[in-house]
Protein backbone atom coordinates (compact mmCIF):
# COMPACT_ATOMS: atom_id res chain seq x y z
CA UNK A 1 0.00 0.00 0.00
CA UNK A 2 1.52 3.31 -1.09
CA UNK A 3 1.18 6.11 1.50
CA UNK A 4 -0.70 9.25 0.47
CA UNK A 5 1.22 12.52 0.91
CA UNK A 6 -0.47 15.91 1.19
CA UNK A 7 1.69 18.89 0.33
CA UNK A 8 1.69 22.37 -1.23
CA UNK A 9 3.22 23.33 -4.55
CA UNK A 10 3.07 26.10 -7.15
CA UNK A 11 2.02 25.52 -10.75
CA UNK A 12 1.88 28.27 -13.40
CA UNK A 13 2.00 30.84 -10.61
CA UNK A 14 -0.93 29.34 -8.64
CA UNK A 15 -0.39 27.81 -5.21
CA UNK A 16 -2.29 24.60 -4.67
CA UNK A 17 -2.59 21.46 -2.57
CA UNK A 18 -1.61 18.04 -3.89
CA UNK A 19 -2.57 14.54 -2.73
CA UNK A 20 0.21 12.34 -4.08
CA UNK A 21 1.00 8.63 -4.32
CA UNK A 22 4.61 7.77 -5.10
CA UNK A 23 3.88 4.49 -6.88
CA UNK A 24 4.89 2.84 -10.14
CA UNK A 25 3.79 3.32 -13.72
CA UNK A 26 2.91 6.42 -15.71
CA UNK A 27 1.49 9.16 -13.48
CA UNK A 28 -2.27 9.43 -13.20
CA UNK A 29 -3.19 13.10 -12.86
CA UNK A 30 -6.64 13.70 -11.32
CA UNK A 31 -8.63 16.92 -11.83
CA UNK A 32 -11.79 17.72 -9.90
CA UNK A 33 -14.98 19.50 -10.94
CA UNK A 34 -16.65 22.85 -10.27
CA UNK A 35 -16.56 23.92 -6.58
CA UNK A 36 -14.96 20.60 -5.61
CA UNK A 37 -11.45 19.71 -4.46
CA UNK A 38 -8.75 17.07 -4.70
CA UNK A 39 -10.60 15.23 -1.92
CA UNK A 40 -13.14 13.95 -4.45
CA UNK A 41 -10.47 11.45 -5.53
CA UNK A 42 -9.74 9.91 -2.11
CA UNK A 43 -11.63 6.67 -2.86
CA UNK A 44 -9.81 6.44 -6.19
CA UNK A 45 -6.44 7.20 -4.60
CA UNK A 46 -7.05 4.50 -2.01
CA UNK A 47 -7.65 1.94 -4.78
CA UNK A 48 -4.60 3.14 -6.71
CA UNK A 49 -2.45 3.05 -3.59
CA UNK A 50 -3.40 -0.58 -2.97
CA UNK A 51 -2.20 -1.35 -6.49
CA UNK A 52 1.02 0.63 -6.09
CA UNK A 53 0.13 3.14 -8.82
CA UNK A 54 1.64 6.58 -9.07
CA UNK A 55 -0.98 9.36 -8.93
CA UNK A 56 -1.58 12.95 -7.92
CA UNK A 57 -4.75 14.97 -7.38
CA UNK A 58 -4.71 18.76 -7.01
CA UNK A 59 -7.03 21.62 -6.09
CA UNK A 60 -7.78 23.70 -9.19
CA UNK A 61 -7.27 27.50 -9.20
CA UNK A 62 -10.30 29.32 -7.85
CA UNK A 63 -11.48 26.44 -5.65
CA UNK A 64 -10.76 24.73 -2.34
CA UNK A 65 -7.29 25.73 -1.05
CA UNK A 66 -5.79 26.87 -4.37
CA UNK A 67 -5.00 30.46 -5.32
CA UNK A 68 -7.89 32.54 -6.69
CA UNK A 69 -8.44 32.86 -10.40
CA UNK A 70 -7.12 36.02 -12.03
CA UNK A 71 -8.99 38.51 -14.18
CA UNK A 72 -9.89 37.47 -17.70
CA UNK A 73 -11.10 34.22 -19.30
CA UNK A 74 -11.03 31.18 -17.05
CA UNK A 75 -10.32 28.23 -19.35
CA UNK A 76 -6.96 29.58 -20.60
CA UNK A 77 -5.89 29.93 -16.96
CA UNK A 78 -6.86 26.33 -16.27
CA UNK A 79 -5.06 25.26 -19.46
CA UNK A 80 -1.83 26.85 -18.21
CA UNK A 81 -2.26 25.26 -14.79
CA UNK A 82 -2.96 21.83 -16.30
CA UNK A 83 0.00 22.09 -18.66
CA UNK A 84 2.28 22.95 -15.75
CA UNK A 85 0.92 19.96 -13.81
CA UNK A 86 1.68 17.61 -16.71
CA UNK A 87 5.18 19.02 -17.16
CA UNK A 88 5.88 18.79 -13.43
CA UNK A 89 4.90 15.14 -12.99
CA UNK A 90 5.55 13.78 -16.50
CA UNK A 91 8.29 15.98 -18.01
CA UNK A 92 9.04 13.36 -20.66
CA UNK A 93 5.39 12.74 -21.48
CA UNK A 94 3.33 9.65 -20.78
CA UNK A 95 0.85 10.94 -18.21
CA UNK A 96 -2.76 9.76 -18.08
CA UNK A 97 -5.11 12.62 -17.18
CA UNK A 98 -8.52 11.91 -15.64
CA UNK A 99 -10.98 14.61 -14.67
CA UNK A 100 -14.56 14.94 -13.50
CA UNK A 101 -16.87 17.62 -14.95
CA UNK A 102 -14.76 20.80 -15.25
CA UNK A 103 -11.69 18.62 -14.72
CA UNK A 104 -12.88 16.39 -17.56
CA UNK A 105 -13.10 19.41 -19.83
CA UNK A 106 -9.54 20.32 -18.81
CA UNK A 107 -8.33 16.80 -19.62
CA UNK A 108 -9.83 16.99 -23.11
CA UNK A 109 -8.38 20.44 -23.79
CA UNK A 110 -4.94 19.27 -22.60
CA UNK A 111 -5.15 16.27 -24.93
CA UNK A 112 -5.55 18.68 -27.86
CA UNK A 113 -1.95 19.83 -27.22
CA UNK A 114 0.22 17.18 -28.85
CA UNK A 115 3.41 18.71 -27.46
CA UNK A 116 2.47 17.68 -23.89
CA UNK A 117 2.86 14.02 -24.82
CA UNK A 118 -0.20 12.88 -22.88
CA UNK A 119 -0.56 9.09 -23.13
CA UNK A 120 -4.33 9.01 -22.65
CA UNK A 121 -7.27 10.70 -20.97
CA UNK A 122 -10.26 9.58 -18.93
CA UNK A 123 -12.84 12.39 -18.97
CA UNK A 124 -15.61 11.72 -16.44
CA UNK A 125 -18.86 13.49 -17.37
CA UNK A 126 -16.86 16.34 -18.92
CA UNK A 127 -18.40 19.79 -18.82
CA UNK A 128 -18.85 21.41 -22.21
CA UNK A 129 -20.86 18.53 -23.70
CA UNK A 130 -24.67 18.49 -23.52
CA UNK A 131 -24.77 20.45 -20.27
CA UNK A 132 -27.85 21.30 -18.26
CA UNK A 133 -28.21 24.90 -17.11
CA UNK A 134 -26.54 23.98 -13.84
CA UNK A 135 -25.63 27.51 -12.77
CA UNK A 136 -29.26 28.55 -13.15
CA UNK A 137 -30.40 25.42 -11.33
CA UNK A 138 -28.05 26.10 -8.42
CA UNK A 139 -28.72 29.82 -8.12
CA UNK A 140 -32.50 29.40 -8.33
CA UNK A 141 -32.48 26.79 -5.60
CA UNK A 142 -34.36 28.30 -2.63
CA UNK A 143 -31.66 27.17 -0.19
CA UNK A 144 -28.92 28.82 -2.27
CA UNK A 145 -30.95 31.99 -2.60
CA UNK A 146 -31.39 32.13 1.17
CA UNK A 147 -27.65 31.68 1.76
CA UNK A 148 -26.67 34.38 -0.74
CA UNK A 149 -29.37 36.90 0.21
CA UNK A 150 -29.32 36.65 4.00
CA UNK A 151 -28.42 40.03 5.55
CA UNK A 152 -26.98 38.30 8.63
CA UNK A 153 -23.81 36.21 9.01
CA UNK A 154 -24.58 32.54 8.51
CA UNK A 155 -23.10 30.11 11.05
CA UNK A 156 -20.83 27.59 9.40
CA UNK A 157 -22.97 24.54 10.41
CA UNK A 158 -26.01 26.18 8.78
CA UNK A 159 -24.01 27.02 5.65
CA UNK A 160 -22.66 23.47 5.42
CA UNK A 161 -26.13 22.01 5.85
CA UNK A 162 -27.37 24.15 2.95
CA UNK A 163 -24.41 23.31 0.70
CA UNK A 164 -24.80 19.63 1.58
CA UNK A 165 -28.45 19.65 0.53
CA UNK A 166 -27.73 21.27 -2.84
CA UNK A 167 -24.70 19.05 -3.50
CA UNK A 168 -26.57 15.83 -2.78
CA UNK A 169 -29.48 16.75 -5.03
CA UNK A 170 -27.39 17.99 -7.96
CA UNK A 171 -24.48 15.54 -8.08
CA UNK A 172 -25.91 12.15 -7.14
CA UNK A 173 -28.55 9.77 -8.44
CA UNK A 174 -28.98 8.25 -4.97
CA UNK A 175 -28.41 11.17 -2.57
CA UNK A 176 -29.22 9.17 0.55
CA UNK A 177 -26.54 6.57 -0.16
CA UNK A 178 -23.62 9.00 -0.35
CA UNK A 179 -20.96 8.50 2.32
CA UNK A 180 -21.27 11.38 4.85
CA UNK A 181 -17.49 11.80 4.73
CA UNK A 182 -17.76 12.65 1.03
CA UNK A 183 -20.29 15.39 1.77
CA UNK A 184 -18.24 16.77 4.67
CA UNK A 185 -15.12 16.92 2.48
CA UNK A 186 -17.02 18.85 -0.20
CA UNK A 187 -18.53 21.29 2.30
CA UNK A 188 -15.29 21.86 4.23
CA UNK A 189 -14.02 24.43 1.72
CA UNK A 190 -17.18 26.57 1.96
CA UNK A 191 -15.95 28.60 4.91
CA UNK A 192 -18.44 31.48 4.72
CA UNK A 193 -20.98 33.19 2.49
CA UNK A 194 -18.31 35.23 0.68
CA UNK A 195 -16.41 32.07 -0.29
CA UNK A 196 -19.65 30.48 -1.49
CA UNK A 197 -20.46 33.54 -3.60
CA UNK A 198 -16.91 33.51 -5.03
CA UNK A 199 -17.22 29.86 -6.10
CA UNK A 200 -20.56 30.60 -7.79
CA UNK A 201 -19.05 33.67 -9.41
CA UNK A 202 -16.29 31.52 -10.88
CA UNK A 203 -18.99 29.28 -12.33
CA UNK A 204 -20.78 32.21 -13.95
CA UNK A 205 -17.48 33.44 -15.42
CA UNK A 206 -16.68 30.17 -17.13
CA UNK A 207 -20.15 28.99 -18.15
CA UNK A 208 -20.14 30.88 -21.45
CA UNK A 209 -16.65 29.59 -22.22
CA UNK A 210 -17.93 26.02 -21.89
CA UNK A 211 -20.44 26.48 -24.72
CA UNK A 212 -17.93 25.32 -27.35
CA UNK A 213 -14.63 24.57 -25.59
CA UNK A 214 -13.19 21.68 -27.63
CA UNK A 215 -11.47 20.93 -30.89
CA UNK A 216 -12.06 17.20 -30.71
CA UNK A 217 -10.38 16.54 -34.06
CA UNK A 218 -7.06 17.50 -32.47
CA UNK A 219 -7.19 14.70 -29.88
CA UNK A 220 -4.90 11.89 -31.01
CA UNK A 221 -4.32 9.99 -27.74
CA UNK A 222 -6.55 7.13 -26.46
CA UNK A 223 -9.74 8.27 -24.74
CA UNK A 224 -12.02 6.48 -22.29
CA UNK A 225 -15.02 8.65 -21.44
CA UNK A 226 -16.95 7.62 -18.31
CA UNK A 227 -20.46 8.76 -17.45
CA UNK A 228 -23.23 8.05 -14.98
CA UNK A 229 -26.43 7.16 -16.80
CA UNK A 230 -28.56 9.38 -14.51
CA UNK A 231 -26.29 12.44 -14.62
CA UNK A 232 -28.52 15.54 -14.36
CA UNK A 233 -25.74 18.12 -14.75
CA UNK A 234 -24.00 16.97 -17.93
CA UNK A 235 -26.09 14.51 -19.91
CA UNK A 236 -24.61 11.12 -20.83
CA UNK A 237 -25.57 11.74 -24.47
CA UNK A 238 -22.34 13.76 -24.66
CA UNK A 239 -20.38 10.49 -24.67
CA UNK A 240 -21.52 9.77 -28.23
CA UNK A 241 -20.14 13.09 -29.43
CA UNK A 242 -16.69 12.14 -28.15
CA UNK A 243 -16.79 8.60 -29.53
CA UNK A 244 -17.97 9.84 -32.93
CA UNK A 245 -15.32 12.56 -33.17
CA UNK A 246 -12.20 10.88 -31.73
CA UNK A 247 -10.92 7.76 -33.52
CA UNK A 248 -10.68 4.79 -31.16
CA UNK A 249 -12.38 6.56 -28.26
CA UNK A 250 -14.73 4.42 -26.21
CA UNK A 251 -17.34 5.11 -23.58
CA UNK A 252 -18.37 3.39 -20.37
CA UNK A 253 -21.81 4.31 -19.03
CA UNK A 254 -22.36 3.38 -15.39
CA UNK A 255 -25.93 2.52 -14.49
CA UNK A 256 -27.67 3.87 -11.38
CA UNK A 257 -25.11 6.68 -11.11
CA UNK A 258 -25.12 10.47 -11.32
CA UNK A 259 -22.52 13.14 -12.02
CA UNK A 260 -19.65 11.79 -9.88
CA UNK A 261 -18.94 8.10 -10.62
CA UNK A 262 -15.72 8.32 -8.58
CA UNK A 263 -17.93 8.85 -5.52
CA UNK A 264 -21.21 7.10 -6.30
CA UNK A 265 -19.68 4.02 -7.97
CA UNK A 266 -16.10 4.17 -6.61
CA UNK A 267 -15.20 0.51 -7.05
CA UNK A 268 -16.43 0.38 -10.64
CA UNK A 269 -14.71 3.64 -11.51
CA UNK A 270 -11.41 2.50 -9.96
CA UNK A 271 -11.60 -0.73 -11.97
CA UNK A 272 -12.06 1.24 -15.19
CA UNK A 273 -9.19 3.59 -14.43
CA UNK A 274 -6.81 0.80 -13.43
CA UNK A 275 -7.70 -1.21 -16.54
CA UNK A 276 -7.19 1.74 -18.91
CA UNK A 277 -4.00 1.00 -20.83
CA UNK A 278 -3.24 3.68 -23.43
CA UNK A 279 -0.78 1.46 -25.28
CA UNK A 280 -3.31 -1.32 -25.71
CA UNK A 281 -5.99 1.20 -26.70
CA UNK A 282 -3.67 2.82 -29.25
CA UNK A 283 -2.88 -0.55 -30.85
CA UNK A 284 -6.53 -1.62 -31.04
Amino acid sequence: MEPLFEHRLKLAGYETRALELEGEGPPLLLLHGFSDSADTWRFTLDALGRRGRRAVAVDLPGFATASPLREGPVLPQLDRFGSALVKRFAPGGGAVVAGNSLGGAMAMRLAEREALGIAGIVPVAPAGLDMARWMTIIERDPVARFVLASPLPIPRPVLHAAVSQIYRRAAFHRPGSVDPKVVRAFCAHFSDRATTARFLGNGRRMFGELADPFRLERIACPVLVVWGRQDRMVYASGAKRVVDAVPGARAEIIEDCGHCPQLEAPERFAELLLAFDPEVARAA
Side-chain angles (χ1 to χ4, degrees), residues 16-174:
T16 189
R17 173 182 62 132
L19 304 178
E20 184 174 358
L21 293 169
E22 294 181 337
E24 300 296 325
L28 291 163
L29 307 181
L30 305 173
L31 308 174
H32 65 77
F34 168 72
S35 288
D36 212 333
S37 74
D39 296 309
T40 195
W41 300 109
R42 285 190 180 270
F43 288 149
T44 304
L45 289 165
D46 181 68
L48 296 174
R50 283 186 269 112
R51 291 283 290 271
R53 285 299 307 272
R54 184 183 176 200
V56 60
V58 292
D59 292 340
L60 299 182
F63 301 108
T65 71
S67 298
L69 289 162
R70 297 162 188 160
E71 294 297 323
V74 172
L75 292 185
Q77 296 185 57
L78 297 181
D79 291 342
R80 290 192 292 272
F81 178 87
S83 296
L85 176 69
V86 171
K87 292 173 183 177
R88 170 72 175 265
F89 289 96
V96 173
V97 184
N100 176 225
S101 195
L102 175 61
M106 287 180 62
M108 292 173 66
R109 287 170 62 89
L110 290 171
E112 294 171 8
R113 301 183 59 183
E114 186 178 0
L116 289 175
I118 291 173
I121 60 170
V122 184
V124 185
L129 294 168
D130 295 0
M131 294 197 308
R133 299 288 300 176
W134 44 266
M135 280 307 303
T136 301
I137 293 169
I138 292 171
E139 293 187 320
R140 286 183 178 175
D141 186 287
V143 177
R145 292 172 66 181
F146 165 76
V147 168
L148 295 173
S150 174
L152 301 173
I154 298 176
R156 185 171 293 191
V158 175
L159 175 63
H160 285 185
V163 171
S164 168
Q165 184 177 336
I166 297 168
Y167 176 52
R168 286 177 181 271
R169 285 203 306 262
F172 301 104
H173 176 53
R174 294 171 284 110

Side-chain angles (χ1 to χ4, degrees), residues 158-243:
V158 175
L159 175 63
H160 285 185
V163 171
S164 168
Q165 184 177 336
I166 297 168
Y167 176 52
R168 286 177 181 271
R169 285 203 306 262
F172 301 104
H173 176 53
R174 294 171 284 110
S177 68
V178 181
D179 190 325
K181 291 185 291 186
V182 167
V183 179
R184 287 197 296 271
F186 181 85
C187 293
H189 301 291
F190 291 76
S191 56
D192 52 33
R193 185 173 55 196
T195 301
T196 304
R198 176 166 59 84
F199 288 170
L200 289 173
N202 289 340
R204 284 192 298 273
R205 286 177 61 189
M206 72 179 69
F207 195 84
E209 298 176 48
L210 289 168
D212 184 25
F214 307 123
R215 298 296 177 264
L216 296 177
E217 70 280 1
R218 297 180 183 174
I219 298 177
C221 67
V223 177
L224 170 64
V225 61
V226 179
W227 232 295
R229 176 77 71 185
Q230 287 77 24
D231 192 334
R232 292 188 294 271
M233 299 189 73
V234 187
Y235 303 127
S237 56
K240 186 176 186 301
R241 291 178 57 189
V242 179
V243 171

